[in-house]
Amino acid sequence: MRSKLAGKPFRLVTALSLFVAALFAQAQVLRADPPVSSEQVVNAIRRGVAYLLAHQNPKTCWETGVKAGNLRPAANAKAIPVNQYGGETALVTEALLDVGQSLKMSELNIFHPAMQNALKFLTKLRPLTTYAASFQANCMTLLPRKERYRASLRYDARFLLATVHSNGAYYYAHEPFLGRNPVIPGEWDNSNTQYGVLGMWAVAHAGMEVPTSYWRLAALHWRKTQYPDGAWNYMQWGFPNGPMPKPGPKDSPNVFLRWQPFTPAGVASLFICDEYLFESPRLHAVADPNILRGLAYINANFRPDTKNLYAMYGIERVGLASGLKTFGNNDWYLDFANTLVHNQKGDGSWGGNLGFVGMDDNIGTAYALLILDRGLNPVLINKLWYGNNYYGQWNSRQRDAANFVSWVSTTFEAPLNWQAVSISTPAHDWLDSPLLYIAGHKDPKFSKDDIAKIGRYMDDGGLVLANCDQQSQRFKRAMMKLGEAAVNNQYSFKPLHRTSLIYHMQPWYHPQTYGKLMGLWNGVRYLMIISTTDWGSAWQAHRFNERDRWELPANIYFYATGNSSLTDRLHSLAVSPGAGGNVHMAMGQLQYAGNWNPEPAAWQRFSNIASSQYGMSVSLQNIQAGQLQPKHACPLMHMLGTGKFTLTSSQIADIKSYLNAGGILFGEAAGGNPEFTNSFSTLVQKLYPGQHLQHVPDASSLFTGHNPGGTDATHVTYRKYFVNQHGIKRTPSLLGISQNGRWVVIFSQYDITSGLLGTNTWGIDGYAPSSAQALARNIVAYAAAHAH
């Protein structure tokens, strides 16, 4: 059967898709200057929460009697003002519940008196306006599935289904004289319409059934009312007589803001509708030309300096629904966070010049909290955008990652986001997420530069998760080739054994199938996992009954994060080098016949941290065993490994000469590998016959940091995996050989290097990142202080 998109329409969609891909994929992100910090954002959120709680009325909560919009019983009849009773409280409560889930603030617990008061008010409310019903529905979905909350949600669902116009639009309120699904010419607007759709989305996400016909009707409205240039207006003014007028240089900003919010409203609403209209997994994406035109318009007209909260909220909805990190070459969240943090009032509120028609400080503050909090949530998955087509094979299931992240957020009560990242952007831009998701059914034909970027992401601590759409063997082979090439064929893929940690991260869940995962292992952690079972199809179609396709990738999430909480989206593992300082150290990394460098980016990241935060300059170089010179320029030699090793007699003699000349050998069991520990102990006995590794005393400067550039590391934190295996331990542990009052050999049987990546990957016996950095800092400072 021939596609409906065949011929000219198909060529138009392809052209639009390529255009949008070019706009977003090649964007050079413009950063806010100076960028706002997550600490500033969280502080602003807390102040906003305090303002709202302080302004709650014991009886009416946050109601101020806002009246917005008019109803006419018939054409040319006298307008009737609409009372939006309940809408303010519903919006404010939604914002507070949202923040409470993210920041775990005790005053926002649903059993706190202020929240109990608000929820009691809302469960008695039966809204008669679109806004109030939508806000209440979105509020109820954030609560436990108890009958008193579900009853309110069922009411909202019935109300919104009954009051959608037969053209798919909404207006302010429903009155009996309008009848069911009314259409009065001009009596609809795209503000009410977007909130009607948003309310029904909340209903669907709460597990209540929404007829497919509803999504079809809603989508039809947005498609019919889009302007040719991709924009939408508040109402249908001037349509279809040409594109919207653009503001001139002398126009008031309010002219621009009059229609600016409604293009994001249209795009976000179509993303919602498409989620349910195109649930069936496909190998070839169904392109939506209306979304493409809308995205192109937003990208071309994005205003990073906007101070309109309503507009910001709309843009954020598009960003979170699409996963797009930038619009108009700008990181939209950074821009909005910067604006909101620096325009918050002294009392903690937002409003006034940041408001919109009918917006008081309660409403303005609620919108600001939703924007700041939802956008700040951690990024669980970055979905890799490759190829020139927005609706290419990378995105054939547009809602796969989004639906999985939504399920994780709901199931494990951890608000999370996802993003789409382009293969054309630097790998360090992907490091705000622990997982890079690559989906497809045929060879993406990555270039050498693309492969190097993916390899860099893995080196920097990231885990690549590849999904074979429809169990594609072509894609599986391509991903295996990609992964092995990215690590210079140092490691190879192997099926995950049923004893693998990946299968057992949730001890209460027992997978139904094993052997469907392929892993690339560097001796310390998984760098890449390929699912030969099509997980993405279950995600796209909301097939929650196929539990392995949800629980196993959740296990990978827990593995990558080490069963720890993710940091927010403003935190990245990427660290830029600094100016250095007074402590200079050349450090060698010993090459030998073994897995001598499983984490090639770890010490370079430490070097960047040292130069930017510690006042240290640490240079690194790889040195072959047997080629050390007695007066080598590296006072500190690092020897790392993941298993058994042996050195030749000449290599051992070379190391002994290096130590006698004043060098220090720092050995470390990567991942806490016991076989490497045994081999290193044997090496020490050959270097110093009759001597054994002894415990470094607690008062040593290796722990106290009493050397230039050092820090206090007398109390440390171990990884959760270590605690799970060995119990709680607070003191560091190093072994060594001392000669003439100097530690010539320092050894850690617990992993330090992996912690320098800043990650908490499960399965590693070692120190948490902050403590690993402290110990590495002290070892370098000690070597610098004792260099001859």
Side-chain angles (χ1 to χ4, degrees):
M1 182 175 178
R2 194 178 183 199
S3 169
K4 294 181 180 180
L5 296 177
K8 291 182 180 179
F10 178 75
R11 289 195 291 273
L12 171 63
V13 169
T14 302
L16 281 170
S17 187
L18 293 172
F19 175 63
V20 170
L23 286 175
F24 289 99
Q26 298 179 17
Q28 295 298 314
V29 179
L30 303 177
R31 300 289 186 187
D33 188 24
V36 70
S37 69
S38 61
E39 290 76 15
Q40 289 175 290
V41 173
V42 170
N43 182 57
I45 291 173
R46 291 184 181 277
R47 291 179 60 218
V49 167
Y51 171 84
L52 289 175
L53 292 178
H55 286 76
Q56 183 188 37
N57 183 295
K59 293 183 178 180
T60 59
C61 291
W62 290 280
E63 295 306 307
T64 60
V66 169
K67 293 185 178 182
N70 297 296
L71 282 176
R72 290 179 174 83
N76 302 318
K78 183 178 179 181
I80 302 172
V82 177
N83 191 333
Q84 300 285 351
Y85 186 75
E88 288 180 277
T89 295
L91 173 60
V92 169
T93 306
E94 177 192 353
L96 294 178
L97 288 171
D98 202 86
V99 172
Q101 289 188 355
S102 299
L103 300 187
K104 311 299 182 187
M105 296 174 64
S106 59
E107 59 267 42
L108 299 182
N109 186 287
I110 62 172
F111 298 107
H112 189 278
M115 299 304 294
Q116 281 284 294
N117 189 42
L119 295 176
K120 183 178 179 181
F121 176 94
L122 289 176
T123 52
K124 292 181 178 180
L125 179 70
R126 291 297 178 262
L128 290 174
T129 66
T130 303
Y131 287 121
S134 176
F135 291 139
Q136 185 181 50
N138 278 276
C139 179
M140 294 298 118
T141 60
L142 297 173
L143 293 163
R145 295 194 174 189
K146 294 185 179 297
E147 176 54 28
R148 60 181 179 274
Y149 305 134
R150 302 290 283 184
S152 295
L153 192 58
R154 284 194 297 272
Y155 170 87
D156 297 328
R158 290 195 300 270
F159 176 86
L160 293 171
L161 277 173
T163 57
V164 62
H165 291 203
S166 56
N167 65 353
Y170 285 90
Y171 199 46
Y172 282 98
H174 172 65
E175 295 293 344
F177 57 73
L178 289 177
R180 181 181 173 88
N181 302 122
V183 171
I184 299 176
E187 293 299 307
W188 61 263
D189 65 72
N190 279 332
S191 179
N192 277 286
T193 302
Q194 74 156 328
Y195 279 95
V197 172
L198 189 59
M200 290 305 292
W201 191 40
V203 169
H205 270 238
M208 293 185 179
E209 186 175 351
V210 176
T212 302
S213 58
Y214 173 84
W215 303 116
R216 191 177 297 114
L217 180 65
L220 184 63
H221 163 80
W222 291 103
R223 299 192 199 288
K224 283 188 172 182
T225 57
Q226 187 178 29
Y227 283 73
D229 61 359
W232 280 271
N233 209 335
Y234 175 63
M235 295 181 75
Q236 215 169 358
W237 299 316
F239 182 86
N241 298 323
M244 274 190 211
K246 293 186 178 180
K250 296 182 180 180
D251 287 336
S252 164
N254 288 332
V255 175
F256 181 80
L257 296 176
R258 215 176 83 192
W259 50 265
Q260 185 197 29
F262 303 109
T263 300
V267 174
S269 296
L270 284 176
F271 269 118
I272 290 172
C273 294
D274 284 359
E275 177 178 344
Y276 297 98
L277 292 175
F278 303 113
E279 275 189 309
S280 298
R282 302 167 184 260
L283 280 185
H284 303 285
V286 177
D288 190 324
N290 300 93
I291 285 180
L292 289 171
R293 282 198 296 267
L295 287 175
Y297 189 90
I298 291 171
N299 194 65
N301 294 276
F302 179 72
R303 292 279 293 266
D305 58 346
T306 184
K307 293 183 178 180
N308 184 282
L309 286 162
Y310 190 91
M312 290 184 191
Y313 181 71
I315 289 288
E316 179 175 70
R317 284 185 56 215
V318 175
L320 296 181
S322 65
L324 293 173
K325 189 175 182 178
T326 63
F327 294 114
N329 293 4
N330 291 270
D331 184 317
W332 57 265
Y333 181 77
L334 270 181
D335 288 327
F336 292 171
N338 223 35
T339 295
L340 292 174
V341 166
H342 293 112
N343 286 275
Q344 189 175 23
K345 295 181 181 181
D347 62 2
S349 70
W350 287 273
N353 68 328
L354 292 180
F356 199 63
V357 176
M359 184 179 289
D360 63 15
D361 285 2
N362 288 343
I363 297 175
T365 302
Y367 269 119
L369 291 180
L370 287 171
I371 294 163
L372 289 175
D373 184 65
R374 288 180 177 172
L376 188 64
N377 285 334
V379 181
L380 169 57
I381 280 183
N382 276 329
K383 184 177 179 180
L384 188 65
W385 176 347
Y386 59 88
N388 296 321
N389 193 330
Y390 178 74
Y391 284 101
Q393 72 153 338
W394 75 275
N395 203 24
S396 61
R397 288 85 176 268
Q398 291 103 51
R399 304 303 298 168
D400 52 1
N403 290 344
F404 171 65
V405 171
S406 176
W407 176 83
V408 171
S409 298
T410 302
T411 303
F412 301 104
E413 299 181 350
L416 299 165
N417 289 326
W418 73 285
Q419 289 178 160
V421 294
S422 172
I423 190 66
S424 66
T425 56
H428 60 71
D429 280 355
W430 311 343
L431 288 173
D432 52 5
S433 170
L435 298 175
L436 182 69
Y437 178 64
I438 309 177
H441 64 276
K442 58 184 179 180
D443 189 348
K445 299 188 183 302
F446 288 120
S447 69
K448 289 184 178 180
D449 287 344
D450 296 339
I451 294 171
K453 283 184 185 179
I454 294 170
R456 181 57 193 264
Y457 174 78
M458 294 190 294
D459 286 347
D460 286 340
L463 172 58
V464 175
L465 174 59
N467 183 73
C468 300
D469 291 356
Q470 287 194 358
Q471 292 84 37
S472 169
Q473 291 298 305
R474 290 172 61 192
F475 190 74
K476 172 188 171 183
R477 290 191 295 269
M479 289 298 98
M480 292 178 67
K481 183 178 179 181
L482 160 69
E484 291 172 5
V487 296
N488 299 313
N489 296 307
Q490 187 176 355
Y491 313 110
S492 58
F493 278 95
K494 296 179 181 178
L496 268 62
H497 192 269
R498 63 186 302 123
T499 59
S500 168
L501 291 172
I502 297 298
Y503 290 118
H504 303 285
M505 291 303 300
Q506 301 177 80
W508 52 86
Y509 180 72
H510 304 287
Q512 297 175 355
T513 57
Y514 295 89
K516 302 294 184 180
L517 300 177
M518 302 289 294
L520 188 66
W521 171 262
N522 72 349
V524 178
R525 61 184 174 92
Y526 288 110
L527 305 175
M528 184 171 179
I529 294 174
I530 302 172
S531 172
T532 58
T533 300
D534 187 358
W535 289 346
S537 64
W539 301 350
Q540 174 75 15
H542 301 100
R543 296 200 303 264
F544 299 115
N545 60 315
E546 300 176 15
R547 290 194 63 192
D548 276 3
R549 301 190 186 200
W550 302 86
E551 300 288 358
L552 287 179
N555 280 2
I556 294 175
Y557 153 60
F558 291 128
Y559 172 82
T561 59
N563 272 325
S564 300
S565 299
L566 283 170
T567 55
D568 61 62
R569 69 169 282 165
L570 292 183
H571 280 102
S572 173
L573 294 178
V575 180
S576 300
N582 297 325
V583 177
H584 300 271
M585 170 57 60
M587 176 176 161
Q589 294 175 293
L590 192 66
Q591 294 180 246
Y592 61 94
N595 193 18
W596 64 274
N597 195 18
E599 299 290 5
W603 282 90
Q604 183 56 60
R605 184 175 184 273
F606 171 80
S607 176
N608 292 348
I609 294 172
S611 64
S612 60
Q613 300 178 25
Y614 306 157
M616 289 180 169
S617 295
V618 181
S619 60
L620 305 169
Q621 54 183 296
N622 300 332
I623 301 174
Q624 187 69 45
Q627 297 180 9
L628 281 72
Q629 301 299 320
K631 294 183 179 180
H632 206 283
C634 293
L636 180 64
M637 190 64 58
H638 184 217
M639 185 175 186
L640 185 68
T642 61
K644 297 178 181 179
F645 70 89
T646 56
L647 299 182
T648 66
S649 56
S650 61
Q651 290 173 332
I652 295 172
D654 188 49
I655 293 174
K656 184 62 179 289
S657 297
Y658 166 78
L659 297 176
N660 290 340
I664 296 175
L665 177 64
F666 166 36
E668 178 194 350
N673 187 280
E675 292 182 345
F676 182 86
T677 296
N678 292 336
S679 293
F680 192 85
S681 298
T682 300
L683 171 63
V684 168
Q685 292 173 16
K686 292 179 179 178
L687 290 170
Y688 296 98
Q691 296 193 44
H692 300 277
L693 290 167
Q694 57 183 298
H695 284 280
V696 174
D698 294 344
S700 169
S701 61
L702 287 168
F703 299 136
T704 64
H706 293 160
N707 288 304
T711 188
D712 185 0
T714 54
H715 292 85
V716 295
T717 302
Y718 288 83
R719 290 172 176 263
K720 283 189 174 181
Y721 177 79
F722 178 98
V723 174
N724 180 270
Q725 299 295 306
H726 308 289
I728 297 175
K729 181 177 169 67
R730 300 293 186 189
T731 56
S733 176
L734 292 175
L735 304 174
I737 295 291
S738 177
Q739 296 284 298
N740 301 319
R742 182 176 71 92
W743 294 102
V744 294
V745 175
I746 301 169
F747 180 70
S748 177
Q749 61 185 319
Y750 303 127
D751 184 284
I752 292 175
T753 291
S754 298
L756 304 184
L757 293 170
T759 57
N760 291 291
T761 311
W762 194 253
I764 297 175
D765 251 348
Y767 299 95
S770 59
S771 294
Q773 291 169 15
L775 289 170
R777 178 178 176 179
N778 284 353
I779 291 169
V780 169
Y782 181 89
H786 291 80
H788 289 185

